Amino acid sequence: MTDKEILLRVGARIRELRREKGLTQEALGEKGGFHFSYVGQIERGEKNVALLNLAKIAEALDVDISQLFTPQTPDPDEKSQADIQEITYMLTQQNPQQIAMAKNVVREIFNYK
């Protein structure tokens, strides 16, 4: 498993738990002492969150920290979201010419005009 996959999985699990608790990113951030944009970055797998911050997130979600690492049975929609996040991340690492090329490839694959 790559570093990015780990970040995406933990982020997706935090998002899942946050939604189960009926919390917005803002509410979770407030409970944990974080800015909501930081919570979003964690959920999207953009931040390598520190262990102590994971403990604060678990406390704010009222779960044991181990639950942040316990994958649930992934439903197809969640897997798709993780894949989309990973593709988006890969694109952000490219130059404009490579992004245009990727866009053209996707258009061809899906016959999108």
Side-chain angles (χ1 to χ4, degrees), residues 49-62:
V49 61
L51 184 57
L52 295 177
N53 286 344
L54 285 173
K56 290 177 185 177
I57 290 169
E59 185 176 328
L61 289 169
D62 195 30

Side-chain angles (χ1 to χ4, degrees), residues 31-79:
K31 286 182 79 171
F34 306 109
H35 192 274
F36 74 90
S37 65
Y38 180 66
V39 173
Q41 290 170 328
I42 293 168
E43 289 184 357
R44 291 188 300 275
E46 296 171 357
K47 286 286 183 188
N48 186 1
V49 61
L51 184 57
L52 295 177
N53 286 344
L54 285 173
K56 290 177 185 177
I57 290 169
E59 185 176 328
L61 289 169
D62 195 30
V63 298
D64 187 272
I65 192 169
S66 65
Q67 289 187 358
L68 301 182
F69 304 100
T70 306
Q72 299 302 302
T73 305
D75 75 29
D77 187 49
E78 285 182 34
K79 174 67 173 130

